[in-house]
DNA sequence: TCCATTTTGTTATTCATTTAACAGTGCAAA
DNA sequence: TTTGCACTGTTAAATGAATAACAAAATGGA
C-alpha cells in the first residue's frame, strides 16, 4: 500500500514541509524557478542536510546543478499534505483567541477553510467573522455533519475543554487542535495535537534565567 | 556547580513541569494535600512512569505510601522554573494575537508579568490593555532597559519579524517567543522558541487525511 | 511475625530525530 | 579529456526522549 509510506514520515518532517512550502512561495514570488537545499535551509534557519533528508523521505529528487524546481516541489508538498477535495475546520469558542485565529487563518490556505464557529454565548451568534458563521454548540453535530467538517480547533475556557471535545468527537471530528491549557483525551481514531502557551512562555523564561 | 544539573533536564520535561504545577493546583484547590504519580499522569493523559522520571530529574522524592506532597512539589517546581525576583515580558505587535495573549496571560503567573507592549501604529499608543501600556517601537531599547525586561513575544506581521527581533536583541532581550510564521535568527546567548500555528493546523489536517 | 500489595526511584532498553559521513554525478574550466 | 567543484541522495552514528523493567521500602492484614 503506497500510502503506508507516508505514515513513516516523522511528525517533525511534516511540520517542516508545511514551512518549506511557505519559504518556497517567497522565492517563487521573486521570480526564481529553482532553489538549492542550502537556500531553503537559510530561510528556515536549519541545516541543508535536514532539508535534503526531508525531501528524500517524500521521494523528491532535485537536479544536481540547478537544485530543486520550486513549482514541482510546491506541488509535491501539496500532493502530500493537502487533501485534493479540501478540508474544513471548525472553531469551538469564539472568544479572543478563536476570533484572532479566524481573522488570521481564513483565506491563507486553498485546501483548508474554517467553515463554522461554535459558542455558548448567544451574543456571538448574530454576526459572522471573516465570513465564518457562529452557531450554538447544540447545533454542532448537525452543522458538522452537514458541512463534512473533520477538524476542530478548541479555544473554549479550560474548564469546558473536556465536555467540548466530547461533543466534537461525537459529532464526527477526526482531528483536534487544543489551545486550551487543559489536556484532553480522544479516542484512538482521532488525531490530537495540544499546544500550551503558558508552558512555552515559562520555558523561555526558564532558559533565560538559567543562562545568566 | 549545582545549576549545571538543571541544564541537563530535557526541554520536554521543563514543559511538563509547568503543566504539573497547573494540575497540582487543581488537586490542591480540592483540599487534597498529597497526590500519586498516576493521579498527576491521569490529569495530563500521560503515563505515571513519565511523571516519576521527571520528578526524579528535579530531585524530588515522594513518600511511598502517601505519594507526593502537593505543596512541597509546587514549591520545588517554582524554585526550579521561576526566578525568585520575577521576570518581565514585552509584547511586540499589539494586534489581535498580541492583545489576546495579554488578556489571557496577564495575572496568571506570580513571577511572570507582561510589562510593556510595542507597536508602530500610533492608534495603539493611547490606551492600555489589561494594565499593559503600549509604546512606540522606537522607545523599545529605552523602556526595556529601564524596566529590566528580558523576555519578548513576537506578534508583528511576518514581514516585520526579522527587523523587530533585531531591535529586541539590541535592546537586551534574552529570550524570544516567535508566533510569526517567519523563522528568525538570534545570537547564541539568546534563547529562541518558535511556534507556527499554520504548521500545526496543516499537521492535524494531514494526519486526519492519512487515517481515512 | 511475615507476606502480599502498592508505590516509589532508578537503570536499561527502545524508539524518534538530528547530525555526520560520504559516494555519486553533472558541469565548467583547464 | 580530465580535473575540481558544488551539489544531491543515502547510509551510518549520535543525540534526545519515552517506555519498560525491576529493586527497594512502607503498610496493612493474615
Ligand atoms: N487568548 C489567548 O491568547 C490564549 C492563548 C493561549 C490559550 N488560550 C486559551 O484559549 C481558550 C480561549 O481563550 P480566550 O482568550 O479566547 O478566552 P475567551 O473567554 O475570550 O473566549 C472563550 C469563548 O468560549 C465560549 N465558550 C464558553 N464555554 C463554551 C462551551 N462550552 N462551548 C463553546 N463555547 C464556549 C465563550 O462564550 C467565549 O466566547 C482558553 O482556554 C485559554 O486558556 C488563550
Ligand atoms: N491572529 C492569530 O491567531 C495568529 C496566529 C498565529 C500567528 N499569528 C501571527 O502573529 C502575527 C500577528 O498576528 P495578528 O493577527 O495579531 O496581526 P495584526 O495585524 O492584528 O497585528 C499586528 C500588529 O503589529 C503591529 N506592527 C506592524 N509592524 C510592526 C513593527 N515593525 N513593530 C511593531 N509592531 C508592528 C501592527 O500595527 C499591528 O498592531 C502575524 O505574524 C501572524 O502571522 C497570528
Amino acid at each position: 500500500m503506497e500510502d503506508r509510506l507516508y505514515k513513516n514520515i516523522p511528525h517533525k518532517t511534516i511540520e517542516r514541509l508545511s514551512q518549506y512550502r511557505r519559504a518556497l512561495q517567497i522565492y517563487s514570488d521573486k521570480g526564481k524557478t529553482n532553489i538549492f537545499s542550502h537556500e531553503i535551509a537559510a530561510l528556515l534557519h536549519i541545516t541543508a542536510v535536514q532539508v535534503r533528508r526531508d525531501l528524500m523521505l517524500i521521494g523528491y529528487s532535485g537536479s544536481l546543478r540547478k537544485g530543486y524546481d520550486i513549482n514541482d516541489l510546491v506541488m509535491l508538498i501539496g500532493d502530500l499534505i493537502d487533501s485534493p477535495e479540501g478540508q474544513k475546520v471548525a472553531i469551538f469558542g469564539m472568544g479572543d483567541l478563536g476570533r484572532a485565529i479566524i481573522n488570521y487563518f481564513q483565506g491563507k490556505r486553498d485546501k483548508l477553510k474554517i467553515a463554522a464557529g461554535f459558542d455558548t454565548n448567544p451574543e456571538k451568534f448574530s454576526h459572522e467573522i471573516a465570513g465564518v458563521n457562529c452557531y450554538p454548540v447544540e447545533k454542532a453535530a448537525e452543522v458538522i455533519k452537514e458541512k463534512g467538517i473533520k477538524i476542530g480547533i478548541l479555544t473554549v475556557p479550560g474548564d469546558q475543554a473536556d465536555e467540548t471535545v466530547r461533543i466534537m468527537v461525537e459529532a464526527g471530528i477526526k482531528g483536534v487542535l487544543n489551545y486550551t491549557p487543559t489536556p484532553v483525551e480522544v479516542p484512538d481514531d482521532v488525531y490530537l495535537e495540544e499546544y500550551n502557551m503558558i508552558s512555552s512562555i515559562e520555558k523561555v523564561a526558564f532558559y533565560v534565567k538559567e543562562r545568566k
Side-chain angles (χ1 to χ4, degrees), chain A:
Chain A
M1 197 194 296
E2 184 188 350
D3 271 0
R4 279 270 156 247
L5 271 174
Y6 288 163
K7 293 266 169 63
N8 296 331
I9 298 179
H11 285 214
K12 291 288 177 68
T13 295
I14 296 295
E15 288 174 19
R16 278 192 299 269
L17 286 170
S18 156
Q19 290 163 220
Y20 294 164
R21 181 156 65 170
R22 180 176 184 277
L24 291 170
Q25 203 60 56
I26 291 170
Y27 262 54
S28 175
D29 290 348
K30 285 189 193 162
K32 290 196 61 170
T33 60
N34 291 82
I35 192 167
F36 295 117
S37 60
H38 65 260
E39 293 178 297
I40 299 179
L43 287 171
L44 273 74
H45 303 118
I46 59 177
T47 68
V49 176
Q50 185 149 67
V51 173
R52 290 205 301 277
R53 208 176 195 303
D54 285 339
L55 297 187
M56 184 195 89
L57 291 172
I58 66 171
Y60 182 65
S61 282
S63 130
L64 210 36
R65 205 63 189 181
K66 295 194 286 183
Y68 305 97
D69 182 291
I70 292 181
N71 282 336
D72 284 0
L73 188 46
V74 166
M75 292 238 300
L76 183 64
I77 293 176
D79 284 351
L80 173 60
I81 69 181
D82 291 335
S83 181
E85 65 280 10
Q87 287 169 290
K88 293 178 181 171
V89 180
I91 305 257
F92 283 76
M94 297 280 273
D96 288 337
L97 185 59
R99 281 197 312 271
I101 292 174
I102 291 173
N103 281 318
Y104 164 64
F105 185 79
Q106 196 65 316
K108 275 239 166 47
R109 285 270 159 265
D110 250 22
K111 299 291 182 190
L112 223 39
K113 296 240 183 292
I114 300 176
F118 298 99
D119 209 296
T120 44
N121 182 347
E123 285 174 27
K124 312 271 175 177
F125 304 155
S126 40
H127 47 286
E128 59 179 31
I129 292 162
V132 177
N133 259 314
C134 180
Y135 304 89
V137 273
E138 295 80 37
K139 292 234 172 116
E142 182 189 328
V143 174
I144 282 172
K145 276 170 190 148
E146 184 198 310
K147 293 184 185 267
I149 299 171
K150 289 278 173 296
I151 297 156
I153 300 180
L154 191 58
T155 52
V156 299
D159 59 6
Q160 302 288 313
D162 286 322
E163 171 62 6
T164 306
V165 90
R166 204 190 53 70
I167 292 170
M168 290 165 81
V169 168
E170 186 98 355
I173 291 289
K174 294 295 177 195
V176 174
L177 180 49
N178 178 20
Y179 283 119
T180 280
T182 311
V184 299
E185 205 169 20
V186 296
D188 277 352
D189 69 331
V190 175
Y191 181 84
L192 173 67
E193 176 96 8
E194 314 210 55
Y195 179 74
N196 187 322
M197 191 176 283
I198 291 193
S199 292
S200 288
I201 300 178
E202 291 198 329
K203 187 178 170 188
V204 173
F206 171 77
Y207 285 107
V208 166
K209 170 171 83 94
E210 288 304 299
R211 284 181 184 208
K212 274 213 282 270

